Amino acid sequence: MAEEVANTVAGKIVDLLFSGAKREIDYIRNYTKNVGKLESEARKLKGIRGRIQQRIDAAEGNGEILLAGVQEWMDKAEIELSKVEEFLEEVANAKKTCFNLRPCVNLGALYHYSKMAINNTSFLLDQQKDGETHENRVSIPAPTPRLVDLYQTKNLEDIDTHKLALREIIEAIKDESIQMVGIYGSGGVGKTTLAKEVAAEVKNLFAEIVFITVSQTVDVKEIQKHVEKAAKRIIINKEKVLIILDDIWKKLVLSDVGIPCGNNHMNCKILLTSRSRNVCEGMNADRNICVNTLKKEEAWVLFKRIVGDEKLANDSGLEKIAKEVTEECGGLPLIIQAVGNALKNKKIDIWEAALDRLRKHAPLEIDQEIRKAFTHLKLSYDLLDSKEAKSCFLLCSLFKEDGIISLLSLAEYGVGIGIFKDLDSINDAEKRVRMAVDTLTSSCLLLSKLGGAVKMHDVVRDVALLITSSSEGEEKEKFLVEAGKGLTEWQPRNKTSDRYTKISLMDNRIEKLPHHQLHFPLLDTFLIRRNYLSVIPDEFFGGMKEVKVLDMSYNKITSLPQSLKLLTKLITLDISYNKNLIEICIVGELKDLEILKVRKTGIKVIPEEIGQLTNLRLLDAGECDDLSHVAPGVISKLTWLEELYFGTYINDKNAVSRFGLMEISKLKSFRALHLSMHSDDCHLFPQGTCFEKLKEFYFRFCKGERFLFEIESKSYLKRRLHISESNFPFKMPIKKLFQVSDGIMLTLIAGLDNIIPDLYGESTIDELKSIRMISCENASCLVKITDEDEDATQTFVASNDLMLGQRKTTKEKYFSQVEDIRLTDLKSLKLLFDCSFQYISLRNLQDIEISDCYSLLTVFPLSVAQGLSNLRRLEIRGCNSLMVVISGGDEHTAENDIVFPRLTHILLWFLPQLKSFYSGDSTVKYPSLEFIREAQSKINDLSGKWIGSLQI
C-alpha cells in the first residue's frame, strides 16, 4: 500500500515537473512570438489612447467636463505604455550583447523576457478592454458659468440704504434658524442687484447657488429644470444650497417646482425678491426685508458717479439742474442710471428741457409701479440720438419677459422692417445692431448677457410695451405681445385690428391657429417661433399682406400654407428647425425676399423656383441632412446673394456642380460661404471657384460626422478651413484657400510633411491665426526651409531690391499673427521649426498645446522663446522623447533673460525624458504665472532658476 502511494506521489511530481519544464521551454521557444504580441497590443492600446485623446481635445476645445475615470484611464494607459517601451528598449539592448540565437545564447534571458512579455500583454489587454468604454464618450457639457462667478460687485460706498439692507439680508441668510428670506420693494429699487450682491458675498458658504428669474408668467417646468441638480445635492448629499427666486409676482408653492423646504431640509436656504410684501408673507418667509428708495443724498452720490463729478463741479448752473433732475428720479437706482446716462453728454439746454419733461406726469391709466418709471425711462428713450437704437429697443420688447435676445435675430428682423438706412450688406446690419446695442446698454436700457446677447429689465420692458401700445410711440406703432405666456392656442377675439404693426407669439405652446382669415392691414412683423404648430391653415395669412418679417422657426410644420404666396412684401422668412418640412417651392413666389432660412429642415433639394428670388441676400440651408443638390442655375440667378450656408457628406465627384458652387463666381455681392462636404470632394474643386476672395468662409471636408469638433468659434476667425481624412498634395483651389485662411485644422492627412512650404509654397501667411494638426503621421515639423530654399529667397529679394533701387528687405517672419497652436498625435514630429530661426516670429502666440508627439525633442529655440511676449498658456503631454522645452543659448546669450510676461498656466504631463525646461544659461522669468502642474517627468529644475519665488 505504501509503495502504491509512493508511486502515485512520484508520478504526480514527475507530471508537475514535466508540465513546468514544458511551460519554461514554451517561454523560450515562443520568445519572438510573445514579444511580437506585446508590441502588437501596445500599438492597439496607443491607437485607443490616441482616439480617446482626440475626443478629449474636442471636449476641452468645447469647454466640456471629462467623465469620471477618463483621465485616470489615460494616466494608467500612459504608465503601462511607458513600462512596455522601457521593457522593449531593454530587450533591444540585450540583443546587442549576447542575447541572440547563436551558440552563446542566454536561455535564462530568453525565458525571463518571454515571460515578462506575456505578463505585460495581459495588462495591456485589460487596459484595452477598459478603454473601449471611453471611446464613444469622454465628456459631458460643462455647466454655464454661474451668475455669482460672472457678477461684478457694485460700489455701495456712501449708499447706506443698500448697505444696511445688504447686511440685514446676509445676517438672515447666515442664521441657521431661518430658511426663507424675502426682499421686497418697488420696481427699479435694486432688489435684483442686492440679491446678486448677497450671492457674491456668501458664495463660499454654499456648495451651490442657483439664481432663477421667475417673472409674471411662471414656467414651472423651467424652474424644475434649474433646481433639479440642486435638489439632489440638498436631499441626497445633505449639502448647503442657496436658491434665489427673483421677481416673484404671486405665491409660488415651492414643492410644486421641486424645491425642498421645511424642517427636514434646513440646508436649503431660499431668498425671494418681489414687489409685494404680501407675496413674501404668503410664501411664509421667515424674515421680510424692505428695500427702500435711496435718500436724497445717496441718490445724488449715485447720479454724480454716472455723470462725472468733475463735469458737475466745474459748472454750478448744471449742478443745480442736475440736483433737481436727481430728485425727480424718486430715489430709484434703475431710473437714476438711465436718466444719468441719457444726459451726461448733453448740453445744458437739453438738461433744462429734460427737467421740464420729468416734472410732467405719466399717463394715468397705467399701473402705479410703471407710472413711477415711465416718464424717466421714456426720457432716456427719447434722448437716444440713434433712430436705429430706438428701433432695436422696441424690437426687444417682442421677446418674452426676461428672455435672452439674440443680436442676429435683431439684425434679421431689422433688415426686414427696414430700420437700417443705406444698408450695404447683411454683415453691415449685424455691425449696426452691435452699435445700437452698445448705445442701449450704456444707457441702461438693455442688460448685456454672456455670449454677446442681451435682455431687458422687466420694468424697462413694461415701458417699451407701453410706448408701443399707446400714442406715445414716435412711429405711432402698436404691438401685440403675447410672448412666453404659456398659450396653447391663439384665437383673437377681434378678427381685425387696423393699428397693430407687430405681433409676437414667441415661446408658447400653441398647437393651432384660427381656420379663418385675420385682418391686420398694417402688420409688418409676425413672430410665432418656438411653438408646437404642425399645420398653418391655408387661408391664415390672407389678411396680412403687408408683413415683411415672418418667423415660424422651431415648430413642427410639415407644409407651408397657400396664403404664404400672398405675402409679396416679405423680406425676412425663417422656417428653420421644422424637421418635417420637405417642400419649399411656394417660397419662390416671394420676389422681395432678402433673407431665407431653412436650416435643419427636411428639404432634399433647393428647387428651381428659388431662382426667382433675385433680391435674396442670405440663404441658410445648413444642417439639412437630406439635402442632395441645388437645381441648376439657381445660385447664378440670385444676383444679390451675399451669404450662403449648406452642406452634404455624400461622396460624389459631381458635388461641386450639384450645389452650384461654380455659379458663385458670377455673383458680384457674394461675401460669405459656409460649406460642409465629403473629404474626398476637396480634390474635386475645379479651377476658377474664386473662394479665396471671400471675406468670410468656413469649409469643412470630412467623412460623415466622425470629426464634429472644429476650430474654436472665436469671433476673429472669419476664414476657416478644416480638412479631415484626405491625402496631400491638395490641388490649387484648395491650396489657395490655405493662403487666405485665418484658421486651419488638419486631421488624418496622409503625406503632409510640413505647413511651410508644403501648403503655402512661397506665399505669405499673414492671415493665419489658428493652427490645429491631428494624427498627420508624416508631419515632421511646421516649417522646413532648406539651404537651397534660403539661397533662392535671398537671390529673389536681392534681385528685386536692385530692380526697385532699394536696400535689401528683411526676411519674412512666419506665424507672426498666429494666436493658438494645437498639435496632437503627430508621430513623426521632431522639431517645430527645421529652418533658420530668424524666419520665425510668435509674438502673438497666446496658447500652445502639444500632445502625443512621441518623436518631439524640443519645442522652442531660445531666439523664438525670447519673443513669446503674449504667451498665456503652455501645455505639453505624452511626448515621450521630449528632453527640453526651450533649447539653445550659451554663456554669450545668458545676459538676455527669457521673460514670459503674460504666461499664467504651465502643464507638463507624462514626459519621461524631460530633463529641464530650459537647457541654457539665461534666467527664465514669468511674473504672471498662476498655475503649474508637472506629472511623471524627470525634470530637475522645477524649483530654483525657472520657478523662482512662485508660491504654488
Side-chain angles (χ1 to χ4, degrees):
M1 180 70 178
E3 184 178 351
E4 290 179 4
V5 171
N7 289 335
T8 300
V9 172
K12 288 184 177 180
I13 291 173
V14 169
D15 288 343
L16 289 172
L17 289 174
F18 179 77
S19 61
K22 182 177 182 301
R23 281 197 302 271
E24 293 189 3
I25 293 170
D26 284 344
Y27 283 136
I28 297 171
R29 184 177 59 192
N30 295 326
Y31 156 76
T32 302
K33 176 182 175 182
N34 293 338
V35 172
K37 174 71 170 173
L38 176 63
E39 291 177 327
S40 174
E41 298 305 329
R43 284 194 295 272
K44 290 181 183 178
L45 182 58
K46 283 183 181 180
I48 295 173
R49 186 190 62 175
R51 290 189 290 274
I52 293 176
Q53 185 62 59
Q54 289 175 357
R55 291 191 175 276
I56 291 175
D57 291 341
E60 291 177 344
N62 292 325
E64 296 183 350
I65 297 174
L66 295 185
L67 291 171
V70 173
Q71 191 58 57
E72 288 81 358
W73 184 90
M74 290 291 289
D75 296 347
K76 189 175 179 182
E78 184 67 33
I79 292 171
E80 294 298 334
L81 287 172
S82 296
K83 289 179 180 177
V84 169
E85 288 183 3
E86 290 179 7
F87 171 75
L88 293 174
E89 185 177 349
E90 184 180 337
V91 171
N93 290 334
K95 280 186 177 181
K96 296 175 183 177
T97 56
C98 194
F99 181 32
N100 49 53
L101 297 178
R102 291 182 295 181
C104 63
V105 65
N106 187 332
L107 296 179
L110 280 174
Y111 168 80
H112 168 74
Y113 287 123
S114 184
K115 185 176 182 180
M116 286 291 293
I118 290 177
N119 292 338
N120 285 333
T121 299
S122 176
F123 290 135
L124 293 185
L125 291 171
D126 290 341
Q127 194 69 16
Q128 289 175 26
K129 185 176 180 181
D130 293 340
E132 289 172 358
T133 62
H134 300 305
E135 277 201 83
N136 292 327
R137 190 182 181 199
V138 300
S139 64
I140 57 174
T144 303
R146 300 183 305 167
L147 178 143
V148 68
D149 297 322
L150 301 172
Y151 179 71
Q152 297 290 320
T153 57
K154 304 293 187 242
N155 179 9
L156 300 181
E157 192 65 32
D158 296 325
I159 303 180
D160 291 338
T161 296
H162 279 181
K163 281 176 66 176
L164 293 173
L166 179 63
R167 188 180 307 164
E168 189 177 354
I169 298 166
I170 291 174
E171 288 176 358
I173 292 292
K174 291 180 177 179
D175 191 331
E176 296 294 334
S177 66
I178 292 176
Q179 182 171 49
M180 192 185 308
V181 180
I183 310 173
Y184 67 93
S186 59
V189 79
K191 301 183 296 297
T192 300
T193 299
L194 281 175
K196 292 177 181 179
E197 291 284 334
V198 170
E201 185 75 22
V202 303
K203 63 182 180 181
N204 294 328
L205 302 179
F206 295 92
E208 185 175 352
I209 295 178
V210 182
F211 193 102
I212 303 169
T213 303
V214 179
S215 303
Q216 283 181 276
T217 305
V218 179
D219 190 332
V220 173
K221 290 184 178 179
E222 190 69 16
I223 297 174
Q224 289 173 339
K225 184 175 71 174
H226 278 89
V227 301
E228 182 180 7
K229 177 184 172 184
K232 292 178 181 177
R233 300 184 75 169
I234 293 166
I235 296 171
I236 299 174
N237 300 342
K238 304 298 181 182
E239 294 176 292
K240 291 186 68 175
V241 173
L242 173 62
I243 297 176
I244 301 175
L245 298 173
D246 185 42
D247 195 23
I248 299 179
W249 286 70
K250 58 186 178 182
K251 180 180 177 180
L252 189 67
V253 179
L254 297 180
S255 58
D256 288 349
V257 294
I259 298 177
C261 57
N263 293 333
N264 293 331
H265 305 295
M266 291 299 289
N267 54 321
C268 175
K269 290 279 186 176
I270 302 161
L271 179 62
L272 317 173
T273 80
S274 177
R275 298 185 185 185
S276 169
R277 180 187 178 99
N278 292 337
V279 171
C280 296
E281 291 176 345
M283 293 185 65
N284 299 317
D286 301 301
R287 177 80 58 82
N288 292 313
I289 299 166
C290 178
V291 181
N292 295 307
T293 56
L294 301 185
K295 296 176 182 177
K296 181 178 178 179
E297 298 79 10
E298 297 168 340
W300 179 237
V301 168
L302 180 57
F303 193 84
K304 285 193 298 181
R305 284 178 187 165
I306 297 164
V307 175
D309 280 328
E310 291 185 8
K311 180 180 178 70
L312 298 174
N314 294 333
D315 189 332
S316 58
L318 180 61
E319 184 178 34
K320 180 178 181 299
I321 296 172
K323 285 183 177 180
E324 294 183 61
V325 167
T326 306
E327 290 179 20
E328 290 295 328
C329 292
L332 293 172
L334 174 69
I335 295 174
I336 292 170
Q337 292 178 71
V339 172
N341 279 295
L343 290 172
K344 64 182 179 182
N345 295 318
K346 304 296 183 183
K347 295 180 180 179
I348 192 168
D349 57 330
I350 302 295
W351 281 77
E352 291 171 343
L355 179 58
D356 185 57
R357 286 272 307 277
L358 291 172
R359 285 170 173 163
K360 294 180 180 179
H361 294 294
L364 294 175
E365 69 273 12
I366 63 175
D367 181 88
Q368 183 65 29
E369 286 285 344
I370 307 305
R371 285 190 66 204
K372 294 179 182 179
F374 178 80
T375 304
H376 308 77
L377 293 175
K378 177 67 165 53
L379 172 68
S380 295
Y381 167 79
D382 288 338
L383 288 177
L384 291 171
D385 293 325
S386 167
K387 287 187 177 181
E388 292 177 1
K390 287 184 175 182
S391 296
C392 286
F393 174 74
L394 298 182
L395 281 179
C396 287
S397 70
L398 295 170
F399 293 79
K400 69 176 183 178
E401 183 179 352
D402 293 308
I404 304 301
I405 302 167
S406 159
L407 301 195
L408 184 59
S409 293
L410 289 179
E412 291 169 351
Y413 297 167
V415 169
I417 60 176
I419 67 175
F420 309 111
K421 304 303 179 185
D422 302 319
L423 190 65
D424 292 332
S425 63
I426 296 295
N427 184 249
D428 185 28
E430 295 173 14
K431 292 178 181 177
R432 284 159 77 166
V433 162
R434 290 190 199 99
M435 291 173 60
V437 164
D438 286 344
T439 299
L440 294 169
T441 52
S442 64
S443 300
C444 295
L445 293 174
L446 285 181
L447 306 172
S448 296
K449 298 298 292 181
L450 192 67
V454 293
K455 68 178 291 187
M456 268 186 156
H457 189 287
D458 55 354
V459 173
V460 177
R461 181 174 182 267
D462 288 338
V463 171
L465 290 175
L466 185 60
I467 293 172
T468 61
S469 62
S470 69
S471 59
E472 296 291 334
E474 245 182 42
E475 307 298 330
K476 307 301 181 186
E477 290 197 274
K478 187 174 179 65
F479 291 12
L480 174 61
V481 181
E482 301 285 351
K485 293 191 174 181
L487 304 179
T488 56
E489 62 177 305
W490 186 57
Q491 294 284 350
R493 291 183 180 180
N494 299 321
K495 295 182 181 179
T496 180
S497 174
D498 294 336
R499 294 191 57 203
Y500 284 131
T501 59
K502 291 174 177 60
I503 295 177
S504 174
L505 305 173
M506 295 193 290
D507 294 285
N508 282 296
R509 301 188 183 96
I510 298 172
E511 297 181 1
K512 61 180 181 179
L513 294 171
H515 281 267
H516 54 75
Q517 181 174 302
L518 300 177
H519 188 60
F520 294 104
L522 300 180
L523 193 68
D524 63 27
T525 302
F526 187 74
L527 310 176
I528 195 166
R529 66 183 296 175
R530 293 192 184 278
N531 277 280
Y532 298 163
L533 291 172
S534 57
V535 176
I536 308 285
D538 269 343
E539 62 273 25
F540 183 76
F541 294 117
M544 309 179 188
K545 296 180 182 179
E546 297 296 317
V547 168
K548 297 178 180 177
V549 175
L550 177 58
D551 188 346
M552 300 188 292
S553 59
Y554 293 94
N555 276 281
K556 301 177 181 180
I557 298 170
T558 56
S559 63
L560 298 175
Q562 287 301 306
S563 58
L564 183 67
K565 64 185 177 183
L566 301 177
L567 305 183
T568 56
K569 296 184 179 180
L570 199 62
I571 304 295
T572 297
L573 174 61
D574 191 348
I575 47 179
S576 300
Y577 295 91
N578 287 283
K579 297 180 182 179
N580 295 320
L581 180 62
I582 298 173
E583 176 61 62
I584 61 170
C585 290
I586 194 173
V587 174
E589 301 284 337
L590 309 175
K591 303 297 194 301
D592 285 350
L593 207 61
E594 295 184 17
I595 296 175
L596 174 58
K597 302 185 72 173
V598 293
R599 176 176 289 267
K600 203 65 176 178
T601 57
I603 62 171
K604 298 179 180 179
V605 61
I606 303 293
E608 60 181 342
E609 287 85 353
I610 298 300
Q612 301 174 87
L613 304 179
T614 54
N615 290 303
L616 201 64
R617 289 180 162 188
L618 182 150
L619 174 57
D620 184 355
E623 299 183 75
C624 295
D625 297 335
D626 298 322
L627 183 63
S628 59
H629 73 282
V630 177
V634 166
I635 299 299
S636 60
K637 291 176 183 177
L638 306 178
T639 52
W640 291 103
L641 192 65
E642 301 169 14
E643 300 183 11
L644 177 61
Y645 304 78
F646 59 58
T648 179
Y649 292 102
I650 300 172
N651 186 8
D652 186 339
K653 64 181 181 180
N654 297 316
V656 173
S657 60
R658 285 191 301 103
F659 280 84
L661 299 182
M662 290 298 294
E663 301 174 32
I664 289 176
S665 60
K666 301 176 183 178
L667 306 178
K668 295 181 180 179
S669 301
F670 197 79
R671 60 170 301 277
L673 175 62
H674 286 219
L675 175 68
S676 296
M677 299 183 72
H678 196 280
S679 59
D680 291 344
D681 294 339
C682 73
H683 291 288
L684 302 175
F685 261 47
Q687 296 287 344
T689 50
C690 299
F691 292 153
E692 70 274 8
K693 296 180 181 179
L694 296 175
K695 294 181 180 179
E696 178 183 330
F697 61 73
Y698 173 43
F699 289 100
R700 185 174 68 171
F701 298 97
C702 302
K703 290 185 178 178
E705 297 293 329
R706 179 173 177 182
F707 292 100
L708 283 175
F709 54 93
E710 51 189 70
I711 300 171
E712 290 181 14
S713 55
K714 298 178 181 178
S715 60
Y716 66 86
L717 293 177
K718 298 299 183 184
R719 296 177 301 281
R720 297 176 289 164
L721 181 60
H722 175 187
I723 304 180
S724 173
E725 296 182 276
S726 188
N727 296 320
F728 182 81
F730 302 116
K731 292 185 178 180
M732 184 50 67
I734 298 299
K735 291 192 73 171
K736 284 187 177 179
L737 287 178
F738 278 105
Q739 295 167 12
V740 296
S741 295
D742 54 15
I744 61 171
M745 181 171 183
L746 302 167
T747 306
L748 291 168
I749 306 299
L752 178 66
D753 184 14
N754 55 65
I755 289 180
I756 299 171
D758 277 8
L759 294 179
Y760 288 88
E762 297 179 357
S763 303
T764 59
I765 55 170
D766 294 338
E767 306 295 328
L768 193 58
K769 294 183 175 70
S770 177
I771 301 172
R772 295 267 185 105
M773 294 182 70
I774 300 173
S775 302
C776 300
E777 291 193 359
N778 300 107
S780 64
C781 59
L782 296 183
V783 180
K784 178 182 289 186
I785 300 178
T786 64
D787 293 338
E788 291 80 5
D789 293 330
E790 187 169 347
D791 292 340
T793 301
Q794 291 174 346
T795 302
F796 175 78
V797 171
S799 63
N800 277 273
D801 289 340
L802 291 173
M803 291 171 64
L804 297 173
Q806 298 173 346
R807 290 182 299 175
K808 185 174 179 178
T809 58
T810 56
K811 295 177 181 178
E812 179 184 355
K813 296 286 189 178
Y814 296 116
F815 300 154
S816 60
Q817 302 302 316
V818 170
E819 297 183 17
D820 72 88
I821 297 174
R822 298 202 177 183
L823 310 173
T824 303
D825 191 29
L826 305 181
K827 294 180 173 57
S828 300
L829 185 73
K830 295 183 178 180
L831 302 168
L832 269 61
F833 314 111
D834 187 1
C835 63
S836 180
F837 302 137
Q838 59 188 325
Y839 288 107
I840 308 302
S841 169
L842 297 176
R843 63 173 181 262
N844 282 303
L845 184 64
Q846 299 177 21
D847 190 323
I848 183 167
E849 182 176 316
I850 306 174
S851 59
D852 296 322
C853 297
Y854 305 123
S855 301
L856 185 66
L857 301 174
T858 183
V859 181
F860 301 116
L862 175 62
S863 60
V864 173
Q866 288 173 328
L868 294 170
S869 57
N870 280 295
L871 186 64
R872 289 165 168 78
R873 179 177 174 274
L874 169 67
E875 179 171 358
I876 310 172
R877 62 172 180 264
C879 298
N880 295 347
S881 300
L882 187 72
M883 302 185 68
V884 61
V885 177
I886 302 173
S887 62
D890 51 33
E891 65 275 7
H892 300 295
T893 60
E895 296 179 0
N896 298 319
D897 294 339
I898 305 172
V899 182
F900 300 111
R902 299 188 179 184
L903 184 61
T904 59
H905 286 70
I906 298 176
L907 299 98
L908 306 172
W909 301 79
F910 307 111
L911 309 173
Q913 300 302 318
L914 185 65
K915 300 297 191 300
S916 64
F917 188 78
Y918 167 55
S919 62
D921 298 315
S922 299
T923 301
V924 182
K925 298 180 179 179
Y926 25 78
S928 302
L929 195 61
E930 299 172 359
F931 178 85
I932 181 169
R933 183 162 185 177
E934 181 271 340
Q936 296 196 16
S937 72
K938 300 176 182 178
I939 192 166
N940 56 22
D941 62 349
L942 277 177
S943 60
K945 182 168 62 175
W946 82 278
I947 289 299
S949 60
L950 178 67
Q951 299 297 314
I952 303 176

